[in-house]
Amino acid sequence: MGWAARFLTAVSFLAAGVLFAPDALLGGSGRSGAGVAAARLAHVLCFATAWGAALWVTFIGGIVMFKYLPRHQFGSLQGKMFPAYFMLISVCSAISVAAFAYLHPWKTASTIERYQLGFLISALGFDLSNLLVFTPMTTEMMMRRHKIEKDLGIGSEVGFSKNAEVARTSPTLAAMNKKFGMIHGLSSLANIMAFGSLAMHSWYLASKLQI
C-alpha cells in the first residue's frame, strides 16, 4: 500500500492547492476547454467510484459476508479489505475535491457550489479518519479479541450469538467487546457520514443532468 499512500498524499496536496491557491498552482493561465472537460470526467468518474464502493461495502457486501462466513474468517477478510477500500475512496474523494475546486474556484463559486465543495471535503475528511485512525485501531482490537475468543473455543461459528453468550461469564471478553464496539462504532459512523456527504453531492449532480 506504500505507493497508494504516496499517491493519496500527492492528490490531497493537489486538491488543497487547487482549493486554496488556484492562481499560484495554475499560473493564472485560466482554464482551457480540454482542462474543463478532463476535470469534469475525473470528477464524475471518481465520485461515482467512491459512492458506488461505499454503497456496496456498507449496505451489501459486508452484511452478506457477516451472515454467511465464520466470524473470524469474516473479521480477517474485513481487516484486509477495509484498508484497500478506504484508500480507494479517499483517493477518489481527493480527486473529486481537486476537480470540483478547479471547475468552481472558491472566489467565484456560488453558495450552492461552496456547499457542495464542503460536502466533498467532509467526505474526504471522514474517509481519511477511517484510513489513518479508526481502521488500524479497529483491526488491532479485532485481532486481540480473536485471540481471546480462540482461547475460549469460539469464533468459528457464523453470527455473533456465541460471543454474547460466552461474554456473560468472561469479564475479559466482555471488556474487549466494549472496547471493540466503541472503536468500531466510530469507524462505522465516519463511514456513514462520508456516504451521506457523497449522497448530498449526488443530488446536486442529478439536478445538473438533462435526460
Side-chain angles (χ1 to χ4, degrees), residues 41-58:
L41 178 63
H43 177 66
V44 170
L45 289 180
C46 289
F47 164 80
T49 299
W51 197 85
L55 176 66
W56 173 262
V57 171
T58 304

Side-chain angles (χ1 to χ4, degrees), residues 2-21:
W3 66 269
R6 290 192 289 271
F7 181 70
L8 173 59
T9 302
V11 172
S12 296
F13 275 109
L14 173 63
V18 174
L19 178 60
F20 295 109

Side-chain angles (χ1 to χ4, degrees), residues 132-142 180 183:
L132 302 175
V133 180
F134 297 133
T135 294
M137 292 175 66
T138 302
T139 302
E140 180 184 355
M141 287 289 183
M142 178 192 69
F180 176 81
I183 298 300

Side-chain angles (χ1 to χ4, degrees), residues 139-203:
T139 302
E140 180 184 355
M141 287 289 183
M142 178 192 69
M143 298 308 296
R144 289 166 59 185
R145 188 171 73 163
H146 280 188
K147 184 178 185 304
I148 295 173
E149 289 177 328
K150 287 178 181 178
D151 292 339
L152 294 170
I154 61 174
S156 59
E157 72 284 349
V158 176
F160 196 71
S161 59
K162 199 71 174 179
N163 175 286
E165 178 183 334
V166 175
R168 296 191 188 100
T169 58
S170 174
T172 303
L173 180 57
M176 182 55 67
N177 283 346
K178 185 176 181 180
K179 292 179 181 178
F180 176 81
M182 181 181 67
I183 298 300
H184 185 266
L186 290 173
S187 176
S188 298
L189 177 62
N191 186 50
I192 289 295
M193 293 298 291
F195 179 81
S197 297
L198 293 178
M200 293 298 294
H201 188 63
S202 71
W203 187 265

